Amino acid sequence: MIAVEDRVAVIEAVQRALREDIGPGDVTSNWTLGTEAQAVGRFLVKAPGVIAGLDVAAEVFRQVDERVRWEPLVEDGTRVKSGQVLARVGGPAVALLSGERVALNFIQRMSGIATLTRRYVQAVRGTNAIILDTRKTAPGLRLFDKLAVRLGGGANHRFGLYDMVLIKDNHIAASGGITPAVERVRARNRAGLPIEVEVTTLAQLQEALSLGVDRIMLDNTDLETMRRAVQLTGGQVPLEASGGITLENVAEVAATGVDYISIGALTHSAPALDVSMDIEV
């Protein structure tokens, strides 16, 4: 379900997508179909996965032609089987065919992200680790990518550069160290944004712990270092593992006791789920 506060952003993103695809008009549909022609279509999934983006598809058809009837048959976040019908759509045939590709693009991309996220979440089941996304999203589509992660059972890291402080290696190098970087942030952080610091060694971890930051990221560290970091931290501050994490090793990472695991692949490398729209005749 799209949050009320996100509705305007969704409407604007769909408008951009439709302008990009339809432009001044769908010449093929307009020239092959009569203006009065009616049709019914069904959205069919051709591989198992987790569905996301149906609410966005509904907005696509609403903008194309308000006479289109959209009937979802499953809810976003639902696990589906190959061959399952996700939704039916009916109305002017030109409108259905004009909105088809944009609706499918949203559903396929978002469902692919939700499906991959669910696989990671299942891989760490039985631990306390929470799977997080990153900012490695499609430009202009971050809202949709991050919504898909949540529908897959994961959680969102910061949305952008403005809602959380994340002091990374380049900030540390340019500031002359972790301590001066944190001190400069605190001097200007009037909004009280949470502060996270990226570390790569146990010495850096101890320095960050002494500063009382809100979260510490263990970047590209091996499993033994993660385990020692968890022991040293003793629950004082949440720890986040990041870098080089795959489906093959995520369970081992979670077993070290870290609180969060952030994975860029959720949004930058998820394969699209195979979904089609077929006109019923």
Side-chain angles (χ1 to χ4, degrees):
M1 181 67 68
I2 299 169
V4 174
E5 60 269 23
D6 293 332
R7 176 60 62 180
V8 172
V10 169
I11 290 172
E12 292 175 349
V14 169
Q15 287 173 341
R16 290 193 299 272
L18 289 172
R19 282 198 302 269
E20 176 183 68
D21 199 43
I22 298 176
D26 175 1
V27 292
T28 306
S29 298
N30 286 330
W31 294 350
T32 59
L33 301 170
T35 57
E36 301 304 316
Q38 300 288 305
V40 174
R42 62 176 188 166
F43 282 77
L44 182 71
V45 62
K46 298 181 178 180
V50 177
I51 290 302
L54 295 180
D55 285 347
V56 182
E59 174 61 24
V60 170
F61 287 110
R62 187 193 70 78
Q63 290 193 28
V64 172
D65 193 323
E66 291 189 348
R67 293 173 295 174
V68 171
R69 303 177 305 279
W70 172 262
E71 181 190 4
L73 301 179
V74 300
E75 294 183 355
D76 277 339
T78 301
R79 180 181 292 281
V80 295
K81 300 176 181 178
S82 178
Q84 191 167 342
V85 179
L86 308 176
R88 285 192 170 87
V89 63
V94 170
L96 301 194
L97 295 176
S98 295
E100 173 187 3
R101 176 42 53 196
V102 171
L104 283 172
N105 284 349
F106 280 118
I107 293 173
Q108 290 178 312
R109 177 177 175 82
M110 292 179 68
S111 296
I113 292 170
T115 298
L116 183 58
T117 301
R118 185 69 57 87
R119 293 181 67 189
Y120 275 95
V121 170
Q122 289 177 330
V124 302
R125 184 171 293 170
T127 73
N128 294 321
I130 296 172
I131 299 297
L132 296 177
D133 55 22
T134 69
R135 288 167 41 245
K136 297 175 183 178
T137 55
L141 295 179
R142 183 168 295 170
L143 173 65
F144 302 97
D145 287 0
K146 285 183 170 282
L147 172 57
V149 167
R150 297 198 304 274
L151 289 168
N156 296 148
H157 204 293
R158 58 179 178 164
F159 193 87
L161 295 173
Y162 53 86
D163 58 349
M164 179 180 182
V165 177
L166 176 49
I167 301 173
K168 296 175 70 69
D169 55 350
N170 284 332
H171 300 106
I172 293 168
S175 300
I178 291 174
T179 298
V182 171
E183 289 175 344
R184 289 172 185 171
V185 165
R186 284 192 167 137
R188 305 185 67 177
N189 187 16
R190 296 179 181 85
L193 297 177
I195 301 172
E196 180 172 11
V197 174
E198 176 186 280
V199 304
T200 57
T201 67
L202 293 176
Q204 287 184 325
L205 171 70
Q206 291 175 318
E207 182 179 359
L209 284 172
S210 71
L211 296 168
V213 296
D214 299 292
R215 188 188 300 177
I216 297 174
M217 176 187 290
L218 307 172
D219 185 51
N220 284 297
T221 54
D222 58 52
L223 294 172
E224 180 56 29
T225 301
M226 288 184 199
R227 282 189 284 267
R228 292 183 62 191
V230 170
Q231 292 172 350
L232 283 170
T233 302
Q236 298 175 61
V237 179
L239 295 178
E240 173 186 339
S242 181
I245 296 166
T246 66
L247 277 169
E248 288 68 36
N249 66 18
V250 69
E252 291 181 298
V253 172
T256 66
V258 295
D259 303 280
Y260 299 100
I261 303 174
S262 54
I263 304 164
L266 298 183
T267 51
H268 71 57
S269 295
L273 191 66
D274 192 358
V275 180
S276 67
M277 189 192 87
D278 300 328
I279 294 294
E280 297 179 342
V281 294

